[in-house]
Amino acid sequence: MTYSTVPVYGLQQSFSLCLGVQYTLGDQNDDEIIQSILSGNTDEFEVILKRYDQYVFNIIAKHLPREMVEEAAHEVFIRVYKALPSYRAEAPFKYWLSKIAERYCYDYWREKYKAKEVPMASLTDDHSQWVESVLSDQSQKHFEKEELLRESKEVLQWALNKLTAEDRMVITLLYLEELSVKETADLLGWSVVNVKVRAHPSRKKLRKIISSLLGQEGGHQ
Amino acid sequence: MKPQDEKVDKIEKALKSAYRKNDRIRVKPEWESELMYHILSLPANPLRTYTLWEAPAVWRTATAVGISALIMLLFTFVNNIGPEYEAARLMLEDPSGFTFAQLLFP
């Protein structure tokens, strides 16, 4: 397997990539750089930053609103920097980094739900039309057109916003990203049993939310 | 499969497809330099493993008190001037008085 053939920006692919291979760019590998940072060469964090910033951006962009990505990535790298002494090199650095990013996103949503700051925008006529066009046997290519893609994403956000932070993360990682239960549990720091217990009810909730869309077909909320 | 389930499946599939078509957000060089500026402004202490004497004041004080107590205990034990020695002496000198004292001052 060569890096050039693997799309490293999808979390699932990156995760698999991380399992067996140390991801290196440039002269030093991650562990050497981290040792150097820990011994006082804090400037070397820039190498880590440049190596993984796009990767972190891509993880965060899948969970948080677009306008939040830069701020969230900033916080993630601060967390990473502060947690460097606890990095044990038992798993590749990239995977350790992705865990911090995923858990940041989970914390973000938990805080938002706690403060009741989750946007609960209503659906419009455009969204109802989108539902109608999905149901009218259009080809997959049809929905990937720019204007319909935007509406699809808005409907997806609307549906995810109706879930709890826990359900949201489980749905995103397990169902949308198609990660395994073990991978999901590991990324979120939960037990495998906890993820298994949540998986089915979360999916059921999502389907119920989608069903409510069908009731609005032809009209809007 | 119910017609309603089929419809939900179709919408689910479309939403999943939309999720996978995520736009890539490019990292700006200004963002990188701002973050590095923040990182370098952080104290280097979190990256160091503390020795005892570099620990925060509260733990340093607690450690000092604990070590002092241990030294005093050892000293009283070695020189027979601790409460154990006193109790044994009283018991040998005046067993009934010792028992009475124990009732009053347990």
Side-chain angles (χ1 to χ4, degrees), chain B residues 17-53:
Chain B
S17 162
Y19 175 83
R20 292 186 167 272
K21 294 273 167 202
N22 228 340
D23 303 334
R24 193 174 164 188
I25 303 174
R26 291 264 170 204
V27 181
K28 294 176 194 153
E30 309 89 71
W31 177 86
E32 283 178 340
S33 46
E34 194 185 318
L35 176 60
M36 269 320 287
Y37 181 76
H38 189 168
I39 293 280
L40 296 175
S41 71
L42 291 174
N45 282 352
L47 298 182
R48 292 175 64 190
T49 312
Y50 283 118
T51 65
L52 176 67
W53 308 115

mmCIF file of all heavy atoms in Angstrom, chain B residues 17-53:
data_model
loop_
_atom_site.group_PDB
_atom_site.id
_atom_site.type_symbol
_atom_site.label_atom_id
_atom_site.label_comp_id
_atom_site.label_asym_id
_atom_site.label_seq_id
_atom_site.Cartn_x
_atom_site.Cartn_y
_atom_site.Cartn_z
ATOM 1 N N SER B 17 -25.026 10.296 1.425
ATOM 2 C CA SER B 17 -24.244 10.691 0.253
ATOM 3 C C SER B 17 -23.796 12.151 0.393
ATOM 4 O O SER B 17 -22.651 12.504 0.080
ATOM 5 C CB SER B 17 -25.097 10.476 -0.989
ATOM 6 O OG SER B 17 -24.602 11.184 -2.056
ATOM 7 N N ALA B 18 -24.705 12.990 0.898
ATOM 8 C CA ALA B 18 -24.367 14.410 1.092
ATOM 9 C C ALA B 18 -23.265 14.565 2.119
ATOM 10 O O ALA B 18 -22.356 15.380 1.962
ATOM 11 C CB ALA B 18 -25.604 15.179 1.537
ATOM 12 N N TYR B 19 -23.337 13.760 3.170
ATOM 13 C CA TYR B 19 -22.321 13.830 4.234
ATOM 14 C C TYR B 19 -20.940 13.527 3.667
ATOM 15 O O TYR B 19 -19.945 14.134 4.036
ATOM 16 C CB TYR B 19 -22.674 12.818 5.322
ATOM 17 C CG TYR B 19 -21.634 12.721 6.401
ATOM 18 C CD1 TYR B 19 -21.608 13.626 7.458
ATOM 19 C CD2 TYR B 19 -20.650 11.724 6.367
ATOM 20 C CE1 TYR B 19 -20.649 13.554 8.437
ATOM 21 C CE2 TYR B 19 -19.688 11.641 7.348
ATOM 22 C CZ TYR B 19 -19.688 12.550 8.374
ATOM 23 O OH TYR B 19 -18.727 12.472 9.344
ATOM 24 N N ARG B 20 -20.901 12.575 2.753
ATOM 25 C CA ARG B 20 -19.609 12.147 2.186
ATOM 26 C C ARG B 20 -19.036 13.169 1.198
ATOM 27 O O ARG B 20 -17.873 13.099 0.856
ATOM 28 C CB ARG B 20 -19.759 10.787 1.519
ATOM 29 C CG ARG B 20 -20.029 9.727 2.556
ATOM 30 C CD ARG B 20 -20.063 8.343 2.034
ATOM 31 N NE ARG B 20 -20.011 7.422 3.149
ATOM 32 C CZ ARG B 20 -18.897 6.967 3.706
ATOM 33 N NH1 ARG B 20 -17.747 7.330 3.221
ATOM 34 N NH2 ARG B 20 -18.939 6.147 4.731
ATOM 35 N N LYS B 21 -19.896 14.074 0.737
ATOM 36 C CA LYS B 21 -19.416 15.101 -0.210
ATOM 37 C C LYS B 21 -19.023 16.362 0.536
ATOM 38 O O LYS B 21 -19.485 17.447 0.235
ATOM 39 C CB LYS B 21 -20.526 15.452 -1.217
ATOM 40 C CG LYS B 21 -20.905 14.341 -2.138
ATOM 41 C CD LYS B 21 -20.026 14.329 -3.354
ATOM 42 C CE LYS B 21 -20.237 13.013 -4.094
ATOM 43 N NZ LYS B 21 -19.111 12.688 -4.965
ATOM 44 N N ASN B 22 -18.223 16.200 1.563
ATOM 45 C CA ASN B 22 -17.837 17.361 2.359
ATOM 46 C C ASN B 22 -16.799 18.208 1.634
ATOM 47 O O ASN B 22 -15.845 17.671 1.076
ATOM 48 C CB ASN B 22 -17.264 16.884 3.695
ATOM 49 C CG ASN B 22 -17.868 17.633 4.842
ATOM 50 O OD1 ASN B 22 -18.409 18.719 4.672
ATOM 51 N ND2 ASN B 22 -17.801 17.051 6.015
ATOM 52 N N ASP B 23 -17.012 19.521 1.634
ATOM 53 C CA ASP B 23 -16.019 20.409 1.008
ATOM 54 C C ASP B 23 -14.777 20.456 1.872
ATOM 55 O O ASP B 23 -14.872 20.437 3.093
ATOM 56 C CB ASP B 23 -16.561 21.846 0.900
ATOM 57 C CG ASP B 23 -17.849 21.887 0.121
ATOM 58 O OD1 ASP B 23 -18.044 20.996 -0.704
ATOM 59 O OD2 ASP B 23 -18.646 22.817 0.362
ATOM 60 N N ARG B 24 -13.664 20.557 1.210
ATOM 61 C CA ARG B 24 -12.418 20.625 1.952
ATOM 62 C C ARG B 24 -12.156 22.079 2.354
ATOM 63 O O ARG B 24 -12.230 22.974 1.507
ATOM 64 C CB ARG B 24 -11.307 20.102 1.053
ATOM 65 C CG ARG B 24 -10.044 19.841 1.791
ATOM 66 C CD ARG B 24 -9.067 19.189 0.861
ATOM 67 N NE ARG B 24 -7.740 19.293 1.446
ATOM 68 C CZ ARG B 24 -6.642 18.956 0.809
ATOM 69 N NH1 ARG B 24 -6.702 18.512 -0.418
ATOM 70 N NH2 ARG B 24 -5.486 19.071 1.396
ATOM 71 N N ILE B 25 -11.901 22.290 3.626
ATOM 72 C CA ILE B 25 -11.589 23.648 4.080
ATOM 73 C C ILE B 25 -10.073 23.790 4.144
ATOM 74 O O ILE B 25 -9.413 23.046 4.863
ATOM 75 C CB ILE B 25 -12.219 23.942 5.458
ATOM 76 C CG1 ILE B 25 -13.724 23.725 5.387
ATOM 77 C CG2 ILE B 25 -11.871 25.349 5.933
ATOM 78 C CD1 ILE B 25 -14.436 23.831 6.706
ATOM 79 N N ARG B 26 -9.552 24.702 3.350
ATOM 80 C CA ARG B 26 -8.104 24.886 3.273
ATOM 81 C C ARG B 26 -7.564 25.580 4.522
ATOM 82 O O ARG B 26 -8.196 26.498 5.047
ATOM 83 C CB ARG B 26 -7.756 25.746 2.057
ATOM 84 C CG ARG B 26 -8.000 25.033 0.759
ATOM 85 C CD ARG B 26 -6.707 24.416 0.259
ATOM 86 N NE ARG B 26 -6.961 23.528 -0.856
ATOM 87 C CZ ARG B 26 -6.162 22.540 -1.191
ATOM 88 N NH1 ARG B 26 -5.091 22.285 -0.469
ATOM 89 N NH2 ARG B 26 -6.426 21.798 -2.237
ATOM 90 N N VAL B 27 -6.400 25.144 4.961
ATOM 91 C CA VAL B 27 -5.755 25.785 6.102
ATOM 92 C C VAL B 27 -5.031 27.034 5.610
ATOM 93 O O VAL B 27 -4.280 26.981 4.637
ATOM 94 C CB VAL B 27 -4.725 24.824 6.746
ATOM 95 C CG1 VAL B 27 -4.073 25.469 7.941
ATOM 96 C CG2 VAL B 27 -5.382 23.521 7.133
ATOM 97 N N LYS B 28 -5.291 28.145 6.309
ATOM 98 C CA LYS B 28 -4.629 29.399 5.900
ATOM 99 C C LYS B 28 -3.302 29.540 6.635
ATOM 100 O O LYS B 28 -3.224 29.209 7.821
ATOM 101 C CB LYS B 28 -5.525 30.588 6.259
ATOM 102 C CG LYS B 28 -6.816 30.643 5.490
ATOM 103 C CD LYS B 28 -7.656 31.802 6.017
ATOM 104 C CE LYS B 28 -9.089 31.696 5.524
ATOM 105 N NZ LYS B 28 -10.037 32.335 6.422
ATOM 106 N N PRO B 29 -2.282 30.072 5.956
ATOM 107 C CA PRO B 29 -0.981 30.272 6.630
ATOM 108 C C PRO B 29 -1.111 31.187 7.856
ATOM 109 O O PRO B 29 -0.418 30.990 8.849
ATOM 110 C CB PRO B 29 -0.113 30.929 5.564
ATOM 111 C CG PRO B 29 -0.794 30.662 4.274
ATOM 112 C CD PRO B 29 -2.242 30.482 4.547
ATOM 113 N N GLU B 30 -2.044 32.164 7.798
ATOM 114 C CA GLU B 30 -2.223 33.082 8.945
ATOM 115 C C GLU B 30 -2.715 32.310 10.159
ATOM 116 O O GLU B 30 -2.338 32.593 11.296
ATOM 117 C CB GLU B 30 -3.249 34.195 8.639
ATOM 118 C CG GLU B 30 -3.032 34.955 7.354
ATOM 119 C CD GLU B 30 -3.726 34.320 6.182
ATOM 120 O OE1 GLU B 30 -4.952 34.382 6.117
ATOM 121 O OE2 GLU B 30 -3.020 33.752 5.315
ATOM 122 N N TRP B 31 -3.587 31.346 9.892
ATOM 123 C CA TRP B 31 -4.120 30.524 10.994
ATOM 124 C C TRP B 31 -2.982 29.768 11.663
ATOM 125 O O TRP B 31 -2.885 29.713 12.887
ATOM 126 C CB TRP B 31 -5.182 29.559 10.449
ATOM 127 C CG TRP B 31 -5.731 28.639 11.489
ATOM 128 C CD1 TRP B 31 -6.771 28.878 12.343
ATOM 129 C CD2 TRP B 31 -5.254 27.328 11.823
ATOM 130 N NE1 TRP B 31 -6.969 27.816 13.178
ATOM 131 C CE2 TRP B 31 -6.044 26.845 12.879
ATOM 132 C CE3 TRP B 31 -4.229 26.513 11.338
ATOM 133 C CZ2 TRP B 31 -5.865 25.594 13.461
ATOM 134 C CZ3 TRP B 31 -4.033 25.266 11.910
ATOM 135 C CH2 TRP B 31 -4.842 24.816 12.955
ATOM 136 N N GLU B 32 -2.094 29.192 10.822
ATOM 137 C CA GLU B 32 -0.955 28.427 11.351
ATOM 138 C C GLU B 32 -0.049 29.314 12.199
ATOM 139 O O GLU B 32 0.346 28.929 13.298
ATOM 140 C CB GLU B 32 -0.138 27.836 10.199
ATOM 141 C CG GLU B 32 -0.779 26.608 9.579
ATOM 142 C CD GLU B 32 0.024 26.068 8.401
ATOM 143 O OE1 GLU B 32 0.843 26.814 7.836
ATOM 144 O OE2 GLU B 32 -0.193 24.895 8.047
ATOM 145 N N SER B 33 0.254 30.520 11.669
ATOM 146 C CA SER B 33 1.185 31.373 12.420
ATOM 147 C C SER B 33 0.542 31.878 13.713
ATOM 148 O O SER B 33 1.219 31.984 14.738
ATOM 149 C CB SER B 33 1.691 32.531 11.565
ATOM 150 O OG SER B 33 0.628 33.126 10.903
ATOM 151 N N GLU B 34 -0.768 32.131 13.678
ATOM 152 C CA GLU B 34 -1.470 32.575 14.890
ATOM 153 C C GLU B 34 -1.432 31.475 15.961
ATOM 154 O O GLU B 34 -1.196 31.727 17.139
ATOM 155 C CB GLU B 34 -2.923 32.907 14.526
ATOM 156 C CG GLU B 34 -3.665 33.684 15.594
ATOM 157 C CD GLU B 34 -5.138 33.864 15.227
ATOM 158 O OE1 GLU B 34 -5.423 34.155 14.045
ATOM 159 O OE2 GLU B 34 -5.976 33.691 16.104
ATOM 160 N N LEU B 35 -1.648 30.250 15.520
ATOM 161 C CA LEU B 35 -1.636 29.120 16.456
ATOM 162 C C LEU B 35 -0.238 28.919 17.044
ATOM 163 O O LEU B 35 -0.084 28.729 18.254
ATOM 164 C CB LEU B 35 -2.109 27.837 15.756
ATOM 165 C CG LEU B 35 -2.053 26.566 16.600
ATOM 166 C CD1 LEU B 35 -2.926 26.682 17.850
ATOM 167 C CD2 LEU B 35 -2.509 25.361 15.798
ATOM 168 N N MET B 36 0.796 29.009 16.176
ATOM 169 C CA MET B 36 2.168 28.833 16.670
ATOM 170 C C MET B 36 2.528 29.934 17.662
ATOM 171 O O MET B 36 3.204 29.682 18.658
ATOM 172 C CB MET B 36 3.162 28.834 15.501
ATOM 173 C CG MET B 36 3.457 27.476 14.932
ATOM 174 S SD MET B 36 3.620 26.136 16.119
ATOM 175 C CE MET B 36 5.191 26.463 16.878
ATOM 176 N N TYR B 37 2.037 31.133 17.393
ATOM 177 C CA TYR B 37 2.277 32.246 18.310
ATOM 178 C C TYR B 37 1.665 31.924 19.677
ATOM 179 O O TYR B 37 2.282 32.124 20.719
ATOM 180 C CB TYR B 37 1.673 33.527 17.722
ATOM 181 C CG TYR B 37 1.887 34.753 18.563
ATOM 182 C CD1 TYR B 37 3.137 35.380 18.596
ATOM 183 C CD2 TYR B 37 0.866 35.275 19.347
ATOM 184 C CE1 TYR B 37 3.350 36.495 19.393
ATOM 185 C CE2 TYR B 37 1.071 36.389 20.145
ATOM 186 C CZ TYR B 37 2.311 36.997 20.162
ATOM 187 O OH TYR B 37 2.527 38.085 20.952
ATOM 188 N N HIS B 38 0.457 31.394 19.653
ATOM 189 C CA HIS B 38 -0.234 31.002 20.893
ATOM 190 C C HIS B 38 0.541 29.891 21.611
ATOM 191 O O HIS B 38 0.769 29.951 22.811
ATOM 192 C CB HIS B 38 -1.650 30.534 20.553
ATOM 193 C CG HIS B 38 -2.519 30.310 21.762
ATOM 194 N ND1 HIS B 38 -3.866 30.125 21.685
ATOM 195 C CD2 HIS B 38 -2.215 30.205 23.080
ATOM 196 C CE1 HIS B 38 -4.349 29.939 22.898
ATOM 197 N NE2 HIS B 38 -3.371 29.978 23.751
ATOM 198 N N ILE B 39 0.962 28.887 20.838
ATOM 199 C CA ILE B 39 1.691 27.744 21.427
ATOM 200 C C ILE B 39 2.968 28.229 22.112
ATOM 201 O O ILE B 39 3.261 27.843 23.247
ATOM 202 C CB ILE B 39 2.056 26.709 20.322
ATOM 203 C CG1 ILE B 39 0.804 26.037 19.750
ATOM 204 C CG2 ILE B 39 3.092 25.687 20.808
ATOM 205 C CD1 ILE B 39 0.221 24.928 20.563
ATOM 206 N N LEU B 40 3.701 29.096 21.419
ATOM 207 C CA LEU B 40 4.979 29.553 21.975
ATOM 208 C C LEU B 40 4.791 30.485 23.168
ATOM 209 O O LEU B 40 5.705 30.652 23.976
ATOM 210 C CB LEU B 40 5.823 30.240 20.888
ATOM 211 C CG LEU B 40 6.250 29.309 19.749
ATOM 212 C CD1 LEU B 40 6.964 30.083 18.661
ATOM 213 C CD2 LEU B 40 7.136 28.176 20.263
ATOM 214 N N SER B 41 3.571 31.067 23.271
ATOM 215 C CA SER B 41 3.319 31.941 24.423
ATOM 216 C C SER B 41 2.913 31.134 25.655
ATOM 217 O O SER B 41 2.861 31.663 26.763
ATOM 218 C CB SER B 41 2.225 32.951 24.089
ATOM 219 O OG SER B 41 0.979 32.289 24.007
ATOM 220 N N LEU B 42 2.625 29.849 25.465
ATOM 221 C CA LEU B 42 2.230 29.023 26.612
ATOM 222 C C LEU B 42 3.471 28.713 27.443
ATOM 223 O O LEU B 42 4.558 28.551 26.892
ATOM 224 C CB LEU B 42 1.608 27.703 26.139
ATOM 225 C CG LEU B 42 0.240 27.794 25.459
ATOM 226 C CD1 LEU B 42 -0.156 26.433 24.923
ATOM 227 C CD2 LEU B 42 -0.818 28.292 26.424
ATOM 228 N N PRO B 43 3.299 28.602 28.764
ATOM 229 C CA PRO B 43 4.474 28.262 29.575
ATOM 230 C C PRO B 43 4.972 26.865 29.224
ATOM 231 O O PRO B 43 4.171 25.993 28.879
ATOM 232 C CB PRO B 43 3.948 28.313 31.014
ATOM 233 C CG PRO B 43 2.482 28.258 30.907
ATOM 234 C CD PRO B 43 2.098 28.789 29.569
ATOM 235 N N ALA B 44 6.272 26.686 29.270
ATOM 236 C CA ALA B 44 6.847 25.383 28.918
ATOM 237 C C ALA B 44 6.594 24.342 30.008
ATOM 238 O O ALA B 44 6.753 23.160 29.774
ATOM 239 C CB ALA B 44 8.336 25.520 28.674
ATOM 240 N N ASN B 45 6.163 24.805 31.197
ATOM 241 C CA ASN B 45 5.995 23.881 32.332
ATOM 242 C C ASN B 45 5.115 22.657 32.068
ATOM 243 O O ASN B 45 5.461 21.581 32.514
ATOM 244 C CB ASN B 45 5.451 24.638 33.548
ATOM 245 C CG ASN B 45 6.539 25.422 34.235
ATOM 246 O OD1 ASN B 45 7.699 25.271 33.877
ATOM 247 N ND2 ASN B 45 6.175 26.257 35.176
ATOM 248 N N PRO B 46 3.978 22.832 31.347
ATOM 249 C CA PRO B 46 3.145 21.635 31.165
ATOM 250 C C PRO B 46 3.883 20.506 30.462
ATOM 251 O O PRO B 46 3.490 19.357 30.564
ATOM 252 C CB PRO B 46 1.997 22.135 30.293
ATOM 253 C CG PRO B 46 1.965 23.589 30.490
ATOM 254 C CD PRO B 46 3.362 24.004 30.782
ATOM 255 N N LEU B 47 4.919 20.835 29.736
ATOM 256 C CA LEU B 47 5.630 19.793 28.999
ATOM 257 C C LEU B 47 6.719 19.125 29.837
ATOM 258 O O LEU B 47 7.366 18.214 29.390
ATOM 259 C CB LEU B 47 6.256 20.383 27.731
ATOM 260 C CG LEU B 47 5.261 20.963 26.739
ATOM 261 C CD1 LEU B 47 5.981 21.459 25.506
ATOM 262 C CD2 LEU B 47 4.238 19.915 26.351
ATOM 263 N N ARG B 48 6.910 19.599 31.067
ATOM 264 C CA ARG B 48 7.973 19.016 31.892
ATOM 265 C C ARG B 48 7.383 18.079 32.933
ATOM 266 O O ARG B 48 6.283 18.271 33.422
ATOM 267 C CB ARG B 48 8.732 20.124 32.600
ATOM 268 C CG ARG B 48 9.526 20.968 31.641
ATOM 269 C CD ARG B 48 10.167 22.111 32.348
ATOM 270 N NE ARG B 48 11.138 21.661 33.327
ATOM 271 C CZ ARG B 48 11.709 22.472 34.213
ATOM 272 N NH1 ARG B 48 11.382 23.734 34.237
ATOM 273 N NH2 ARG B 48 12.584 22.016 35.065
ATOM 274 N N THR B 49 8.156 17.076 33.304
ATOM 275 C CA THR B 49 7.741 16.210 34.395
ATOM 276 C C THR B 49 8.258 16.859 35.666
ATOM 277 O O THR B 49 9.446 17.138 35.777
ATOM 278 C CB THR B 49 8.384 14.823 34.230
ATOM 279 O OG1 THR B 49 8.173 14.418 32.891
ATOM 280 C CG2 THR B 49 7.769 13.821 35.184
ATOM 281 N N TYR B 50 7.357 17.123 36.597
ATOM 282 C CA TYR B 50 7.758 17.802 37.818
ATOM 283 C C TYR B 50 8.607 16.898 38.715
ATOM 284 O O TYR B 50 8.281 15.732 38.906
ATOM 285 C CB TYR B 50 6.514 18.195 38.623
ATOM 286 C CG TYR B 50 5.795 19.390 38.081
ATOM 287 C CD1 TYR B 50 4.487 19.279 37.635
ATOM 288 C CD2 TYR B 50 6.411 20.627 38.052
ATOM 289 C CE1 TYR B 50 3.808 20.378 37.153
ATOM 290 C CE2 TYR B 50 5.736 21.737 37.571
ATOM 291 C CZ TYR B 50 4.438 21.609 37.123
ATOM 292 O OH TYR B 50 3.766 22.683 36.660
ATOM 293 N N THR B 51 9.657 17.473 39.294
ATOM 294 C CA THR B 51 10.300 16.787 40.412
ATOM 295 C C THR B 51 9.572 17.298 41.646
ATOM 296 O O THR B 51 8.781 18.239 41.560
ATOM 297 C CB THR B 51 11.790 17.139 40.492
ATOM 298 O OG1 THR B 51 11.875 18.526 40.802
ATOM 299 C CG2 THR B 51 12.507 16.851 39.186
ATOM 300 N N LEU B 52 9.870 16.720 42.797
ATOM 301 C CA LEU B 52 9.161 17.105 44.027
ATOM 302 C C LEU B 52 9.261 18.599 44.302
ATOM 303 O O LEU B 52 8.284 19.256 44.616
ATOM 304 C CB LEU B 52 9.728 16.319 45.206
ATOM 305 C CG LEU B 52 9.156 16.682 46.566
ATOM 306 C CD1 LEU B 52 7.691 16.282 46.631
ATOM 307 C CD2 LEU B 52 9.940 16.008 47.669
ATOM 308 N N TRP B 53 10.466 19.146 44.122
ATOM 309 C CA TRP B 53 10.684 20.549 44.516
ATOM 310 C C TRP B 53 10.120 21.533 43.499
ATOM 311 O O TRP B 53 10.030 22.719 43.767
ATOM 312 C CB TRP B 53 12.166 20.800 44.780
ATOM 313 C CG TRP B 53 12.676 19.789 45.745
ATOM 314 C CD1 TRP B 53 13.614 18.832 45.510
ATOM 315 C CD2 TRP B 53 12.210 19.568 47.088
ATOM 316 N NE1 TRP B 53 13.773 18.035 46.606
ATOM 317 C CE2 TRP B 53 12.920 18.464 47.600
ATOM 318 C CE3 TRP B 53 11.263 20.175 47.906
ATOM 319 C CZ2 TRP B 53 12.722 17.966 48.871
ATOM 320 C CZ3 TRP B 53 11.066 19.681 49.182
ATOM 321 C CH2 TRP B 53 11.786 18.592 49.658
#
